[in-house]
Amino acid sequence: MQEYVVIKKGSSINHCIKIPADFLNQDLEIKIRPLKDIGKISKRLENLYGKHPGVKPFEGITDPMKWQQRMRDEWE
């Protein structure tokens, strides 16, 4: 995996990344690399359900439309 390293003063990147005040006048090492592929969500869910066979996370949802609306409302 390719990785790039950049050295910048904290104050020069504070406008886009919240930098602690102690770092503002220091040189900071910033590493940039692609995220690792974590696989398809369906495979990950299958593995998760395999690890917890008795768990039914959606069994308490009697009205999916109301449940979805409640979930969306939490983000407002």
XYZ file of all heavy atoms in Angstrom:
630
model
N 0.854 -1.172 0.000
C 0.000 0.000 0.000
C 0.898 1.233 0.000
O 1.819 1.339 0.780
C -0.901 -0.024 1.235
C -1.775 1.187 1.342
S -2.767 1.348 2.848
C -3.360 -0.271 3.158
N 0.574 2.138 -0.880
C 1.354 3.367 -0.968
C 0.940 4.335 0.143
O -0.223 4.393 0.523
C 1.099 4.025 -2.319
C 2.322 4.593 -2.931
C 2.067 5.028 -4.364
O 0.955 5.051 -4.842
N 3.129 5.372 -5.044
N 1.900 5.060 0.669
C 1.629 6.015 1.740
C 2.443 7.268 1.476
O 3.586 7.194 1.048
C 2.029 5.400 3.084
C 1.789 6.303 4.261
C 2.102 5.618 5.582
O 1.250 4.864 6.061
O 3.208 5.837 6.093
N 1.839 8.412 1.704
C 2.519 9.695 1.553
C 2.617 10.351 2.914
O 1.711 10.262 3.729
C 1.754 10.613 0.595
C 1.710 10.088 -0.813
C 0.646 9.327 -1.258
C 2.763 10.352 -1.688
C 0.615 8.828 -2.551
C 2.739 9.861 -2.981
C 1.652 9.102 -3.405
O 1.639 8.617 -4.679
N 3.739 11.009 3.171
C 3.946 11.719 4.430
C 4.181 13.186 4.110
O 4.976 13.521 3.236
C 5.151 11.139 5.204
C 5.402 11.938 6.467
C 4.917 9.682 5.534
N 3.466 14.048 4.816
C 3.584 15.490 4.643
C 3.914 16.089 6.010
O 3.353 15.683 7.017
C 2.248 16.086 4.123
C 2.352 17.582 3.956
C 1.820 15.414 2.842
N 4.824 17.038 6.024
C 5.141 17.761 7.263
C 4.597 19.177 7.107
O 4.945 19.887 6.174
C 6.664 17.816 7.524
C 7.295 16.429 7.478
C 6.957 18.550 8.823
C 6.843 15.482 8.555
N 3.676 19.562 7.999
C 3.063 20.893 7.953
C 2.998 21.457 9.359
O 2.925 20.715 10.332
C 1.627 20.809 7.409
C 1.481 20.303 5.999
C 1.921 21.301 4.972
C 0.875 22.359 4.773
N 1.181 23.338 3.772
N 2.991 22.783 9.459
C 2.741 23.438 10.745
C 1.269 23.241 11.100
O 0.404 23.285 10.233
C 3.015 24.939 10.646
C 4.465 25.295 10.703
C 4.876 25.520 12.143
C 6.280 26.065 12.202
N 7.133 25.272 13.029
N 1.004 23.011 12.372
C -0.376 22.819 12.813
C -1.271 23.977 12.432
O -2.416 23.785 12.028
N -0.745 25.198 12.519
C -1.567 26.373 12.204
C -1.968 26.419 10.728
O -2.997 26.984 10.386
C -0.825 27.654 12.582
O 0.413 27.716 11.906
N -1.181 25.778 9.857
C -1.512 25.824 8.429
C -2.628 24.862 8.045
O -3.220 25.004 6.977
C -0.259 25.529 7.585
O 0.098 24.169 7.692
N -2.928 23.885 8.913
C -4.024 22.959 8.592
C -5.193 23.091 9.563
O -6.192 22.396 9.425
C -3.530 21.500 8.558
C -2.958 21.079 9.911
C -2.545 21.284 7.434
C -2.653 19.610 10.017
N -5.089 24.017 10.512
C -6.128 24.193 11.527
C -7.472 24.577 10.914
O -8.509 24.302 11.493
C -5.696 25.231 12.560
C -6.566 25.215 13.794
O -6.931 24.150 14.269
N -6.884 26.376 14.304
N -7.479 25.173 9.744
C -8.742 25.581 9.116
C -9.546 24.384 8.606
O -10.752 24.477 8.445
C -8.474 26.563 7.965
C -7.749 25.958 6.819
N -6.385 25.751 6.848
C -8.191 25.498 5.627
C -6.018 25.191 5.695
N -7.083 25.029 4.945
N -8.894 23.236 8.367
C -9.636 22.080 7.860
C -9.651 20.900 8.827
O -10.494 20.019 8.702
C -9.101 21.649 6.499
S -7.383 21.145 6.508
N -8.724 20.856 9.769
C -8.677 19.804 10.785
C -8.490 20.476 12.134
O -7.582 21.285 12.306
C -7.489 18.834 10.540
C -7.600 18.167 9.185
C -7.420 17.785 11.640
C -6.376 17.342 8.809
N -9.354 20.169 13.081
C -9.251 20.784 14.405
C -7.980 20.290 15.086
O -7.822 19.109 15.356
C -10.478 20.432 15.244
C -10.540 21.148 16.564
C -10.682 22.636 16.377
C -10.787 23.324 17.720
N -10.373 24.685 17.688
N -7.052 21.202 15.307
C -5.750 20.892 15.893
C -5.716 21.393 17.333
O -6.100 22.538 17.603
C -4.623 21.588 15.088
C -4.664 21.183 13.620
C -3.257 21.302 15.686
C -4.364 19.742 13.348
N -5.256 20.567 18.281
C -5.120 21.051 19.658
C -4.181 22.256 19.713
O -3.210 22.334 18.950
C -4.507 19.855 20.400
C -4.837 18.666 19.562
C -4.881 19.161 18.147
N -4.475 23.187 20.584
C -3.697 24.423 20.694
C -2.203 24.145 20.893
O -1.367 24.860 20.361
C -4.239 25.279 21.836
N -1.867 23.083 21.613
C -0.457 22.746 21.856
C 0.291 22.411 20.565
O 1.514 22.487 20.514
C -0.340 21.546 22.796
C -0.867 21.850 24.190
O -1.133 23.034 24.488
O -1.008 20.903 24.973
N -0.430 22.024 19.514
C 0.202 21.596 18.263
C 0.275 22.702 17.215
O 0.901 22.517 16.181
C -0.566 20.432 17.644
C -0.495 19.136 18.410
C -1.208 18.036 17.980
C 0.270 19.006 19.556
C -1.152 16.835 18.669
C 0.325 17.807 20.250
C -0.391 16.715 19.798
N -0.372 23.820 17.446
C -0.479 24.846 16.406
C 0.867 25.358 15.899
O 1.012 25.635 14.717
C -1.338 26.013 16.896
C -2.827 25.723 17.023
C -3.556 26.926 17.612
C -3.435 25.323 15.687
N 1.863 25.470 16.749
C 3.165 26.003 16.336
C 4.220 24.922 16.122
O 5.401 25.216 15.998
C 3.663 27.028 17.355
C 2.763 28.249 17.379
O 2.361 28.742 16.326
N 2.423 28.709 18.561
N 3.785 23.663 16.067
C 4.721 22.558 15.876
C 4.598 22.001 14.459
O 3.540 22.092 13.834
C 4.422 21.434 16.865
C 4.660 21.799 18.307
C 4.421 20.612 19.219
O 4.608 19.477 18.838
N 3.998 20.896 20.444
N 5.684 21.391 13.974
C 5.615 20.636 12.731
C 4.882 19.333 13.024
O 5.172 18.659 14.028
C 7.014 20.321 12.197
C 7.694 21.537 11.582
O 6.981 22.488 11.211
O 8.927 21.526 11.473
N 3.940 18.975 12.176
C 3.160 17.757 12.352
C 3.392 16.831 11.169
O 3.483 17.273 10.030
C 1.670 18.077 12.458
C 1.258 19.050 13.558
C -0.224 19.356 13.463
C 1.605 18.491 14.921
N 3.473 15.549 11.441
C 3.605 14.554 10.384
C 2.205 14.063 10.031
O 1.469 13.599 10.894
C 4.456 13.381 10.863
C 4.626 12.300 9.826
C 5.496 11.167 10.336
O 6.716 11.242 10.162
O 4.932 10.221 10.915
N 1.847 14.179 8.774
C 0.528 13.764 8.306
C 0.726 12.628 7.320
O 1.445 12.775 6.324
C -0.200 14.927 7.616
C -0.300 16.109 8.575
C -1.576 14.493 7.122
C -0.648 17.410 7.914
N 0.131 11.487 7.591
C 0.246 10.322 6.708
C -1.064 10.162 5.936
O -2.143 10.234 6.515
C 0.528 9.055 7.501
C 1.894 9.076 8.141
C 2.192 7.774 8.827
C 3.579 7.827 9.440
N 3.990 6.556 9.997
N -0.926 9.927 4.652
C -2.088 9.759 3.781
C -1.953 8.414 3.079
O -0.925 8.128 2.459
C -2.162 10.883 2.736
C -2.235 12.234 3.431
C -3.362 10.679 1.807
C -2.041 13.409 2.501
N -2.995 7.583 3.208
C -2.999 6.288 2.527
C -4.442 5.859 2.303
O -5.352 6.297 3.018
C -2.237 5.253 3.336
C -2.882 4.934 4.652
C -2.148 3.783 5.353
N -2.823 3.488 6.582
C -2.391 3.803 7.780
N -1.245 4.419 7.924
N -3.088 3.511 8.844
N -4.675 4.995 1.332
C -6.034 4.527 1.092
C -6.534 3.680 2.265
O -5.734 3.011 2.938
C -5.917 3.670 -0.163
C -4.558 3.888 -0.707
C -3.718 4.474 0.375
N -7.829 3.705 2.495
C -8.414 2.843 3.514
C -8.359 1.398 3.046
O -8.447 1.113 1.852
C -9.884 3.218 3.761
C -10.136 4.514 4.502
C -11.631 4.799 4.563
C -9.563 4.455 5.902
N -8.235 0.497 3.992
C -8.257 -0.923 3.661
C -9.672 -1.308 3.255
O -10.653 -0.814 3.825
C -7.834 -1.764 4.858
C -6.382 -1.598 5.229
C -6.030 -2.448 6.421
C -4.586 -2.236 6.811
N -4.217 -2.941 8.023
N -9.769 -2.198 2.286
C -11.072 -2.714 1.872
C -11.591 -3.616 2.983
O -10.930 -4.587 3.365
C -10.932 -3.501 0.567
C -12.271 -3.972 0.034
O -13.325 -3.514 0.529
O -12.257 -4.806 -0.893
N -12.756 -3.300 3.513
C -13.293 -4.083 4.620
C -14.296 -5.132 4.147
O -14.901 -5.820 4.937
C -13.930 -3.168 5.691
C -15.003 -2.286 5.086
C -12.864 -2.354 6.389
C -15.763 -1.472 6.086
N -14.463 -5.260 2.842
C -15.335 -6.301 2.310
C -16.769 -5.846 2.142
O -17.155 -4.755 2.545
N -17.523 -6.713 1.533
C -18.933 -6.409 1.282
C -19.723 -6.442 2.585
O -19.482 -7.286 3.449
C -19.522 -7.431 0.315
C -19.015 -7.292 -1.088
C -19.788 -8.190 -2.015
C -19.377 -7.919 -3.437
N -20.186 -8.650 -4.384
N -20.671 -5.553 2.677
C -21.490 -5.464 3.896
C -22.278 -6.749 4.121
O -22.450 -7.190 5.249
C -22.409 -4.204 3.865
C -23.101 -4.004 5.211
C -23.440 -4.328 2.765
C -22.205 -3.519 6.289
N -22.737 -7.391 3.051
C -23.508 -8.623 3.203
C -22.659 -9.718 3.857
O -23.139 -10.460 4.724
C -24.052 -9.100 1.853
O -23.001 -9.327 0.950
N -21.398 -9.817 3.469
C -20.500 -10.816 4.058
C -20.226 -10.487 5.518
O -20.172 -11.369 6.375
C -19.211 -10.823 3.259
C -18.510 -12.117 2.999
C -19.342 -13.310 3.060
C -18.829 -14.377 2.136
N -19.541 -15.618 2.308
N -20.048 -9.205 5.797
C -19.782 -8.784 7.177
C -20.986 -9.072 8.070
O -20.835 -9.518 9.214
C -19.415 -7.307 7.211
C -18.057 -7.049 6.552
C -17.702 -5.589 6.449
N -17.659 -4.973 7.757
C -17.911 -3.682 7.971
N -18.207 -2.879 6.972
N -17.851 -3.183 9.172
N -22.184 -8.806 7.558
C -23.391 -9.101 8.335
C -23.550 -10.603 8.555
O -23.925 -11.039 9.648
C -24.630 -8.544 7.627
C -24.835 -7.045 7.768
C -25.974 -6.574 6.862
C -25.129 -6.662 9.203
N -23.281 -11.378 7.524
C -23.363 -12.835 7.648
C -22.427 -13.334 8.742
O -22.815 -14.163 9.573
C -22.993 -13.463 6.305
C -23.155 -14.954 6.237
C -22.776 -15.495 4.864
O -23.126 -14.865 3.848
O -22.097 -16.543 4.835
N -21.208 -12.814 8.770
C -20.255 -13.197 9.816
C -20.738 -12.764 11.195
O -20.606 -13.503 12.171
C -18.882 -12.588 9.536
C -18.204 -13.211 8.342
O -18.522 -14.330 7.947
N -17.282 -12.484 7.740
N -21.296 -11.569 11.279
C -21.801 -11.057 12.550
C -22.938 -11.914 13.085
O -22.951 -12.291 14.259
C -22.257 -9.608 12.377
C -22.673 -8.862 13.626
C -21.510 -8.749 14.600
C -23.177 -7.484 13.259
N -23.888 -12.260 12.213
C -24.997 -13.118 12.637
C -24.507 -14.513 13.003
O -25.065 -15.171 13.882
C -26.080 -13.195 11.556
C -26.948 -11.964 11.491
C -27.092 -11.254 10.310
C -27.622 -11.505 12.612
C -27.887 -10.122 10.248
C -28.415 -10.372 12.560
C -28.542 -9.688 11.378
O -29.334 -8.570 11.317
N -23.443 -14.971 12.340
C -22.856 -16.266 12.675
C -22.255 -16.282 14.073
O -22.317 -17.286 14.776
N -21.698 -15.162 14.481
C -21.093 -15.054 15.810
C -22.148 -14.944 16.909
O -21.889 -15.267 18.063
C -20.175 -13.837 15.889
C -18.906 -13.977 15.094
C -18.069 -12.713 15.202
C -16.851 -12.786 14.306
N -16.081 -11.533 14.334
N -23.340 -14.451 16.560
C -24.413 -14.235 17.537
C -25.714 -14.849 17.005
O -26.654 -14.129 16.651
C -24.601 -12.734 17.781
C -23.347 -12.021 18.153
N -22.828 -12.048 19.428
C -22.474 -11.283 17.414
C -21.698 -11.348 19.462
N -21.461 -10.881 18.250
N -25.794 -16.186 16.979
C -26.909 -16.859 16.308
C -28.295 -16.593 16.905
O -29.280 -16.588 16.178
C -26.550 -18.334 16.410
C -25.543 -18.441 17.491
C -24.851 -17.120 17.561
N -28.426 -16.352 18.185
C -29.749 -16.172 18.781
C -30.268 -14.742 18.746
O -31.413 -14.475 19.099
N -29.446 -13.807 18.301
C -29.816 -12.394 18.333
C -30.655 -12.042 17.112
O -30.301 -12.348 15.983
C -28.544 -11.507 18.390
C -28.910 -10.040 18.323
C -27.746 -11.811 19.643
N -31.787 -11.392 17.363
C -32.670 -10.931 16.295
C -32.901 -9.432 16.500
O -33.871 -9.025 17.132
C -33.983 -11.699 16.330
C -33.787 -13.175 16.062
C -35.095 -13.914 16.041
C -34.798 -15.327 15.630
N -35.371 -16.334 16.440
N -32.020 -8.588 15.952
C -32.038 -7.161 16.265
C -33.279 -6.406 15.800
O -33.587 -5.352 16.333
C -30.786 -6.627 15.566
C -30.494 -7.608 14.507
C -30.970 -8.929 15.008
N -34.012 -6.937 14.837
C -35.157 -6.204 14.308
C -36.493 -6.779 14.754
O -37.536 -6.330 14.308
C -35.087 -6.166 12.776
C -33.789 -5.590 12.277
C -32.841 -6.396 11.673
C -33.514 -4.243 12.435
C -31.640 -5.867 11.224
C -32.313 -3.705 12.002
C -31.383 -4.522 11.395
N -36.471 -7.760 15.636
C -37.699 -8.429 16.024
C -38.661 -7.499 16.779
O -39.866 -7.678 16.715
C -37.348 -9.700 16.796
C -37.844 -9.850 18.178
C -37.324 -11.124 18.825
O -37.720 -12.205 18.404
O -36.528 -11.004 19.761
N -38.149 -6.470 17.432
C -39.007 -5.555 18.179
C -39.636 -4.454 17.326
O -40.415 -3.647 17.815
N -39.343 -4.433 16.040
C -39.893 -3.399 15.150
C -41.217 -3.890 14.581
O -41.257 -4.788 13.746
C -38.907 -3.073 14.005
C -37.588 -2.575 14.587
C -39.522 -2.052 13.049
C -36.486 -2.418 13.564
N -42.292 -3.306 15.072
C -43.616 -3.727 14.605
C -44.083 -2.914 13.405
O -44.826 -3.419 12.570
C -44.659 -3.608 15.736
O -44.620 -2.270 16.242
C -44.337 -4.585 16.858
N -43.661 -1.657 13.333
C -44.037 -0.795 12.210
C -42.748 -0.218 11.599
O -42.226 0.787 12.079
C -44.951 0.328 12.704
C -45.494 1.180 11.564
O -44.922 1.163 10.460
O -46.511 1.865 11.800
N -42.249 -0.838 10.531
C -40.981 -0.391 9.945
C -40.998 1.064 9.483
O -39.985 1.753 9.599
C -40.783 -1.332 8.753
C -41.628 -2.517 9.032
C -42.762 -2.035 9.865
N -42.109 1.546 8.977
C -42.182 2.937 8.513
C -41.989 3.912 9.676
O -41.238 4.875 9.563
C -43.518 3.205 7.812
C -43.732 2.364 6.561
S -42.607 2.793 5.247
C -43.403 4.226 4.616
N -42.663 3.669 10.791
C -42.511 4.540 11.964
C -41.084 4.454 12.515
O -40.505 5.457 12.919
C -43.511 4.147 13.058
C -44.918 4.600 12.785
C -45.819 4.244 13.938
C -47.243 4.655 13.651
N -48.163 4.262 14.727
N -40.534 3.251 12.527
C -39.174 3.059 13.024
C -38.182 3.851 12.175
O -37.311 4.540 12.701
C -38.831 1.568 13.008
C -37.435 1.279 13.475
C -37.007 1.177 14.757
C -36.289 1.069 12.640
N -35.652 0.905 14.779
C -35.193 0.831 13.490
C -36.080 1.041 11.275
C -33.913 0.586 13.010
C -34.812 0.797 10.792
C -33.745 0.581 11.656
N -38.319 3.766 10.837
C -37.433 4.512 9.950
C -37.549 6.017 10.175
O -36.547 6.733 10.207
C -37.747 4.195 8.482
C -37.334 2.812 8.070
C -37.742 2.514 6.639
O -37.964 3.415 5.840
N -37.843 1.236 6.315
N -38.778 6.494 10.337
C -38.987 7.921 10.560
C -38.328 8.367 11.864
O -37.690 9.408 11.933
C -40.487 8.248 10.583
C -40.781 9.730 10.661
C -40.246 10.496 9.453
O -40.476 10.099 8.323
N -39.517 11.570 9.704
N -38.467 7.561 12.915
C -37.829 7.880 14.194
C -36.308 7.945 14.048
O -35.656 8.815 14.613
C -38.213 6.835 15.250
C -39.115 7.364 16.305
C -39.321 6.478 17.525
N -38.854 5.126 17.506
C -39.570 4.038 17.182
N -40.824 4.179 16.822
N -39.048 2.841 17.229
N -35.758 7.000 13.306
C -34.308 6.991 13.091
C -33.866 8.261 12.357
O -32.863 8.877 12.709
C -33.864 5.761 12.288
C -34.039 4.444 13.006
S -33.047 4.336 14.505
C -34.298 4.483 15.762
N -34.621 8.666 11.334
C -34.282 9.881 10.596
C -34.409 11.114 11.472
O -33.603 12.044 11.379
C -35.186 10.022 9.361
C -34.749 9.144 8.222
C -35.504 9.541 6.968
N -35.924 8.367 6.249
C -37.082 7.747 6.373
N -38.002 8.199 7.177
N -37.343 6.665 5.677
N -35.428 11.153 12.307
C -35.656 12.305 13.181
C -34.514 12.513 14.164
O -34.245 13.641 14.578
C -36.973 12.151 13.953
C -38.199 12.305 13.040
O -38.032 12.761 11.883
O -39.303 11.943 13.487
N -33.824 11.433 14.536
C -32.707 11.556 15.471
C -31.561 12.359 14.877
O -30.745 12.913 15.584
C -32.201 10.177 15.873
C -33.117 9.452 16.822
C -32.568 8.090 17.234
O -31.396 7.773 16.912
O -33.319 7.355 17.884
N -31.464 12.450 13.541
C -30.370 13.144 12.872
C -30.670 14.623 12.664
O -29.823 15.359 12.182
C -30.054 12.478 11.533
C -29.441 11.143 11.740
C -30.070 9.940 11.786
C -28.056 10.869 11.950
N -29.177 8.943 12.021
C -27.939 9.476 12.119
C -26.918 11.640 12.026
C -26.706 8.861 12.356
C -25.698 11.016 12.257
C -25.603 9.644 12.414
N -31.858 15.054 12.985
C -32.205 16.478 12.777
C -31.828 17.313 13.959
O -31.602 16.939 15.011
C -33.704 16.611 12.502
C -34.066 16.016 11.158
C -35.560 16.106 10.879
O -36.272 16.854 11.561
O -35.984 15.418 9.969
